[in-house]
Amino acid sequence: MNLEKVVFGFFVVLAATLNFGFFIGDIDNPDLHNPYELFAAVVVNLIATVLKFGDRTQIGAVHLATSLVADLQLIAASLFYGYAIYVSSAGLTASWTASVVSLSAGALLANVVSVVLLVVETVSFHRG
Amino acid sequence: MTRQQRRARRESVNAAAASEAQASETVFLVLRRMRAPLIVLITIFAVSVLGLTLIPGVDGQGRPFRMGFFDAFYVMSYTATTIGFGEIPYPFTYNQRMWVTISIYLTVIGWAYAIGSLLALLQDRSFRSARALQRFRRTVDRLAEPFVLIAGYGRAGEVLGHALDALGRRFVVLDVDPDRVDAVDLDAFHADVPGLAADAREPGRLAIAGLGHPRCEAVVALTDDEEVNLSVVMTANLLQPDVQVIARATSRAMAERMAAFGSPGVINPFDRFGDHLRLALRSPAAYQLMSWLESGPGAALPERTRPPRQGRWVVCGYGRLGREITADLRAEGLEVTVVEPHPGASEEPDLVVGDGVEPEVLARTRLADAVGFVAGTDNDTTNLSLVAAARRVNGSLFVAARQNRPASAPLFAAMDIDALLVPTEVIAHEVYAQVATPLLWRFLRELQGQDDDWAAGIVDRLLDLCGHRLQALWKVRLTPEEAPALSRWLGSGEARLGDLLRDPETREDPLHAVALLVLRNGEAFLAPDDDFVLSAGDEVLLAGRPSARRALSTVLFVDSALEYVVSGRRVPESWIWRKLSRTPAEEPVSTTRS
């Protein structure tokens, strides 16, 4: 067992699950999307990204790319969320919620790709 | 194995060498090292922000209030960066202040750790060498001119480097010792010389240093370690068979092993010194000319030594040098007495066993009736004291000595040795002659078959033109590309060398240049005179002043300049001027455009 792989796998899967937890629920109902979960998703995603730094294998490069995409989408979602609450006069409306959740859905897709890559890597490692 | 298979394999080897070159990309090194500090920083930020959102506060009216993520992130951002705006949006409760206090210290620790790691990384040895490697690779990749790869930058490498630089040639240096590579940076060269501290035995390092670069024209292996030289020869031959390879070897066995790989130019300084001594015995002027030309541009004319051709020589030290010299002297028909403390099993006709520094041993060599003396041990102090002792016995001796360390140079100079052997310089000069231009190498080889008066004549002509310091040495190829103005004139069959070497301003003055050699279809014409008829495709080796070189290139490229130096007529250069002046009733003899 390789501790590095455990830590890395942990963060990748945790990022995906947190992202999924925030995303699940009616897309325009703000009550179903917990901001704390979004925060946790951003933090875990950032850590997962940093963990991929300096990995020069092909699969490591794709990992880094997917993580960066997820970061971008989640940070965009947080910015939208903050804008809706603090700047916009209407507050967190259904359409704003939908935007935030759809952005997080995009991040989720990237995270799913990450998890798929992780699985592929693990499986091919056992074959080799 | 077919040729194609072999080439495919060679390409894969090159690819392997290239991928090794990428292995130490600095960006990856930075990213890898910064992983831990960045994760610590992110975690500290996350915990602090989360704490702020969770801890209850009160708003202006005393109602319970919880900070949103944005507020919390804002507060932490200015707190962590030690800017500190105050308590926003409402004054904090004690609960919150406690948390913020903890956060301040936590984030400062985080920053300090991250910045500290980054600074440590910048100071790190491997990081710096990785950056140096990357910079070196980039400079070598960008080289657009032909260059020579010098592996081993000791004394010989340094002398060679300066001679090449004076010739306007580029080179790249590879040496194990970082100090010597630093010396390259500090040295004053005309062009930028990339240097790398690395082991030349590694093919990957050689690849980075430019073996495989399309502009690499020669690889020179001059390290002290002959195994390393052999492996450089090997690598160059297996990966780039077309590149010229020159290596230093001091034993015949090593030279044989090197010869197994392609046909590298192997230089054995002791062997070469023996050859030089023979040449000096046979023709002092030829030897003088050779050592002058080999020293490169800017060298002062060496003195003409006249070793005695009759009589008995005494050779002290029967090592690699002693054996070569003894054999060469005997081949010239001279008697030789050898002095050696450990003669081994060799059968020598005239051998004195003992240490030459002891007076009674030296007395047994009957120095009084000898004519020449060689101090050839590998210890400079011994050599100097041998010379002093020999001179005391017989003041009229011709003395040859071997200088091993560069630092001893002033002592040997003060001793006023007749023939001094500095192995590193012999190597440097030989390599220079081979790398500088193939014509010079050819000239030096042909020179050895010539007689003394001929060589003395060339030396005098060079002295007349250049003075006591050798000026420029260059090559001209009489092809339509390199001498476009000449094509028609060369075809006329009356293209005499003397007509070409005239000043294009006033044709009565000859150019300050001597043609040393004309090479035509592999046949060499040594020092052609003014009536020599040139033909298309000839290669000419010239020595002279840089101004003569510029003037000659004008003649080679400008039709009217050629017309003037050949016939004395001033022909208008432009079409309009020709129409206006109506000069050419008949065709000019040498113009290509009519």
Side-chain angles (χ1 to χ4, degrees):
Chain A
M1 199 176 77
N2 183 342
L3 188 65
E4 192 187 345
K5 298 265 179 230
V6 174
V7 173
F8 179 58
F10 172 79
F11 275 100
V12 167
V13 175
L14 186 63
T17 50
L18 285 169
N19 200 338
F20 181 73
F22 176 76
F23 160 77
I24 196 91
D26 280 345
I27 197 163
D28 53 357
N29 184 354
D31 294 340
L32 299 181
H33 303 286
N34 192 332
Y36 284 94
E37 205 152 14
L38 180 60
F39 175 70
V42 170
V43 171
V44 172
N45 252 297
L46 282 176
I47 291 179
T49 310
V50 172
L51 280 174
K52 288 159 197 166
F53 276 7
D55 187 347
R56 288 179 47 262
T57 58
Q58 178 60 30
I59 219 151
V62 184
H63 264 311
L64 182 60
T66 53
S67 267
L68 285 174
V69 170
D71 286 343
L72 212 64
Q73 301 245 21
L74 284 176
I75 289 170
S78 325
L79 287 177
F80 270 49
Y81 199 95
Y83 185 85
I85 288 180
Y86 297 104
V87 184
S88 158
S89 51
L92 195 62
T93 59
S95 71
W96 274 111
T97 313
S99 303
V100 170
V101 174
S102 64
L103 275 169
S104 81
L108 181 64
L109 190 60
N111 270 323
V112 168
V113 173
S114 245
V115 172
V116 170
L117 282 176
L118 189 72
V119 173
V120 167
E121 196 184 4
T122 315
V123 170
S124 62
F125 179 75
H126 275 289
R127 274 202 198 132
Chain B
M1 202 184 291
T2 66
R3 213 185 151 79
Q4 259 175 353
Q5 277 174 312
R6 218 177 275 156
R7 182 177 303 154
R9 202 184 51 173
R10 194 175 301 140
E11 271 160 12
S12 74
V13 174
N14 280 347
S19 79
E20 199 215 348
Q22 278 180 342
S24 30
E25 294 262 14
T26 26
V27 180
F28 286 111
L29 203 60
V30 173
L31 289 179
R32 193 175 276 276
R33 293 286 182 81
M34 288 308 287
R35 276 201 290 208
L38 283 179
I39 288 175
V40 168
L41 206 58
I42 290 174
T43 316
I44 288 173
F45 245 85
V47 170
S48 312
V49 169
L50 188 68
L52 272 185
T53 61
L54 290 178
I55 293 167
V58 286
D59 68 5
Q61 279 83 45
R63 285 174 301 191
F65 166 77
R66 270 201 190 177
M67 254 190 220
F69 276 108
F70 178 72
D71 283 330
F73 184 72
Y74 179 56
V75 171
M76 276 327 298
S77 297
Y78 65 66
T79 309
T81 51
T82 65
I83 293 169
F85 271 153
E87 300 173 345
I88 293 171
Y90 304 111
F92 288 172
T93 61
Y94 278 106
N95 221 346
Q96 284 173 311
R97 282 186 189 152
M98 273 180 195
W99 181 247
V100 171
T101 311
I102 296 171
S103 308
I104 288 171
Y105 286 104
L106 275 179
T107 47
V108 165
I109 291 170
W111 281 125
Y113 176 41
I115 292 172
S117 322
L118 198 62
L119 289 179
L121 183 62
L122 291 181
Q123 294 297 317
D124 191 72
R125 232 181 115 83
S126 60
F127 176 75
R128 277 162 59 179
S129 73
R131 275 195 48 195
L133 182 67
Q134 206 179 15
R135 209 170 37 226
F136 174 77
R137 207 175 73 227
R138 220 176 290 143
T139 3
V140 172
D141 281 347
R142 281 201 205 119
L143 279 177
E145 302 162 67
F147 65 92
V148 178
L149 167 54
I150 302 179
Y153 194 73
R155 181 71 198 139
E158 210 178 312
V159 174
L160 172 66
H162 278 282
L164 287 176
D165 189 57
L167 212 61
R169 298 278 298 271
R170 302 292 302 264
F171 61 99
V172 171
V173 167
L174 195 65
D175 198 297
V176 202
D177 187 354
D179 290 346
R180 291 201 203 139
V181 176
D182 288 343
V184 177
D185 286 336
L186 296 175
D187 229 325
F189 289 114
H190 297 292
D192 181 30
V193 177
L196 177 70
D199 192 346
R201 267 178 298 204
E202 289 173 38
R205 295 296 186 238
L206 277 175
I208 296 171
L211 178 78
H213 191 294
R215 295 283 181 173
C216 178
E217 48 175 8
V219 176
V220 183
L222 295 181
T223 64
D224 300 335
D225 187 341
E226 312 220 324
E227 287 283 332
V228 177
N229 291 348
L230 175 64
S231 79
V232 171
V233 171
M234 223 151 64
T235 314
N237 179 253
L238 293 176
L239 300 187
Q240 295 291 329
D242 303 332
V243 171
Q244 186 190 4
V245 183
I246 300 170
R248 164 200 163 134
T250 49
S251 69
R252 283 182 192 278
M254 186 53 85
E256 293 284 322
R257 285 171 73 187
M258 286 178 179
F261 295 95
S263 46
V266 178
I267 294 169
N268 180 341
F270 305 123
D271 183 22
R272 298 304 302 159
F273 184 69
D275 293 351
H276 289 182
L277 200 60
R278 280 180 79 171
L279 182 63
L281 281 168
R282 239 180 289 141
S283 163
Y287 174 65
Q288 183 193 27
L289 179 59
M290 184 178 83
S291 42
W292 199 21
L293 290 176
E294 276 190 348
S295 312
L301 178 70
E303 260 179 73
R304 194 174 300 178
T305 50
R306 295 188 179 279
R309 303 195 53 174
Q310 246 103 58
R312 192 170 53 84
W313 283 61
V314 177
V315 174
C316 275
Y318 198 57
R320 289 170 300 188
L321 173 66
R323 276 170 221 269
E324 293 285 352
I325 288 183
T326 310
D328 283 322
L329 288 172
R330 289 201 173 126
E332 285 293 309
L334 293 161
E335 282 179 70
V336 182
T337 303
V338 177
V339 183
E340 170 64 38
H342 317 289
S346 59
E347 291 288 319
E348 278 301 321
D350 191 358
L351 180 71
V352 174
V353 178
D355 197 344
V357 282
E358 287 170 31
E360 69 271 19
V361 174
L362 212 55
R364 292 215 305 269
T365 61
R366 311 179 308 283
L367 265 179
D369 65 332
V371 291
F373 181 80
V374 178
T377 70
D378 54 8
N379 182 327
D380 283 348
T381 320
T382 311
N383 287 347
L384 285 166
S385 69
L386 279 172
V387 171
R391 280 217 173 120
R392 209 168 46 212
V393 179
N394 182 349
S396 61
L397 277 177
F398 179 91
V399 176
R402 164 179 173 188
Q403 175 198 324
N404 300 286
R405 293 185 311 128
S408 320
L411 302 178
F412 281 95
M415 280 292 237
D416 197 19
I417 310 285
D418 297 308
L420 188 61
L421 162 68
V422 189
T424 51
E425 273 168 32
V426 170
I427 295 167
H429 292 162
E430 285 285 319
V431 176
Y432 165 77
Q434 292 194 26
V435 171
T437 136
L439 288 188
L440 177 61
W441 184 234
R442 183 70 188 262
F443 178 76
L444 293 176
R445 271 185 304 163
E446 300 276 341
L447 176 76
Q448 301 181 8
Q450 303 295 321
D451 63 26
D452 200 37
D453 295 340
W454 179 87
I458 301 276
V459 172
D460 288 343
R461 277 177 73 187
L462 277 173
L463 271 177
D464 267 0
L465 288 170
C466 314
H468 280 270
R469 292 205 170 267
L470 190 63
Q471 303 281 321
L473 197 67
W474 74 100
K475 177 180 83 170
V476 168
R477 220 185 257 128
L478 303 182
T479 57
E481 294 80 36
E482 294 185 31
L486 256 56
S487 345
R488 193 168 174 135
W489 182 60
L490 288 173
S492 71
E494 293 187 356
R496 274 187 296 277
L497 183 64
D499 290 338
L500 188 63
L501 297 179
R502 284 176 197 275
D503 193 331
E505 300 298 326
T506 49
R507 69 188 289 274
E508 290 72 30
D509 300 338
L511 276 185
H512 285 283
V514 188
L516 292 175
L517 177 90
V518 174
L519 192 68
R520 181 181 299 162
N521 300 329
E523 194 187 348
F525 299 92
L526 280 184
D529 58 12
D530 284 353
D531 290 331
F532 183 84
V533 176
L534 296 165
S535 75
D538 284 357
E539 291 181 62
V540 187
L541 177 70
L542 293 137
R545 294 192 173 274
S547 57
R549 182 179 187 170
R550 284 192 294 275
L552 183 63
S553 75
T554 314
V555 177
L556 295 182
F557 280 92
V558 180
D559 292 339
S560 57
L562 177 72
E563 182 66 31
Y564 173 68
V565 293
V566 171
S567 66
R569 270 184 302 161
R570 295 267 185 198
V571 182
E573 173 65 355
S574 68
W575 177 83
I576 293 182
W577 205 250
R578 268 184 223 173
K579 286 288 168 202
L580 285 177
S581 63
R582 298 180 195 200
T583 2
E586 78 254 64
E587 278 281 292
V589 283
S590 61
T591 41
T592 45
R593 295 168 228 153
S594 50

